[in-house]
Amino acid sequence: MEPIRSQEEVASLYRRHVDMVYQICLMLMGNVPDAEDAVQTVFRKVMEHPKPFRDHEHEKAWLITTARNECKNQLKHWWRTRREGEEVLNKLAWEQPEDGALWEAVQRLPEKYRLVLYLNCYQGYTTQETAELMGKNPSTVRGWLVQARGKLKELLEVEEYG
């Protein structure tokens, strides 16, 4: 399929959003090579997406949803479920927030908790917006946030007193 957007437009989109897309893909895929493949596919889809984005928030939401869906598709692919002995990276390959201990604790949470915390706390989305991006009910997202914060508190307390 031939690209629909100009090289300049795609390059600008890439510069603005690659870090966010990579973070989401790495959280969901669990390793750098698969995350990089997913990011590449997401930005290929940007080039082929025929409709213009309404605004910056629509562009960002589209990328988050596309990244999440691409990772889910890759994770359920038959060849991935058959691979054995794959090393999962627990450390992230991008710049961590100022509180490294907190970020490391976030990374040890189950995927659904990591993603809602990332979108809500690090990207600043409301629970309603987070629910829309994840295709979940807002009350589910609120529940996950409460549970995630509780688990995070437990992890940090164990580390502090352990």
Side-chain angles (χ1 to χ4, degrees), residues 2 13 18 52 54 70 81 88 108-109 129 159:
E2 191 165 316
L13 268 163
V18 69
R54 289 188 304 269
E70 177 59 28
T81 60
V88 176
R108 291 197 306 264
L109 294 173
E129 293 166 332
E159 287 178 3

Side-chain angles (χ1 to χ4, degrees), residues 51-158:
K51 297 178 184 174
F53 296 115
R54 289 188 304 269
D55 54 28
H56 182 71
E57 282 305 310
H58 178 236
E59 172 183 290
K60 193 172 173 182
W62 187 92
L63 286 164
I64 289 169
T65 302
T66 302
R68 180 188 57 131
N69 291 341
E70 177 59 28
C71 291
K72 282 184 174 183
N73 288 341
Q74 285 188 23
L75 287 169
K76 69 182 178 185
H77 196 275
W78 67 268
W79 57 262
R80 181 166 178 94
T81 60
R82 304 258 190 284
R83 285 196 298 191
E84 293 181 7
E86 178 181 338
E87 276 189 47
V88 176
L89 300 179
N90 292 322
K91 299 288 182 190
L92 300 178
W94 67 83
E95 185 178 325
Q96 295 180 359
E98 289 178 22
D99 187 349
L102 176 61
W103 187 244
E104 287 178 23
V106 168
Q107 285 307 109
R108 291 197 306 264
L109 294 173
E111 175 190 315
K112 65 184 177 185
Y113 299 144
R114 289 192 315 253
L115 192 54
V116 295
L117 279 174
Y118 175 74
L119 292 173
N120 187 261
C121 299
Y122 290 95
Q123 288 295 320
Y125 284 101
T126 65
T127 53
Q128 178 67 37
E129 293 166 332
T130 300
E132 289 171 11
L133 289 170
M134 293 183 71
K136 299 292 181 189
N137 188 308
S139 63
T140 300
V141 169
R142 283 189 295 276
W144 285 355
L145 280 168
V146 168
Q147 293 167 3
R149 288 181 182 124
K151 289 185 181 297
L152 199 53
K153 182 180 178 193
E154 288 173 16
L155 283 171
L156 292 172
E157 285 174 350
V158 166

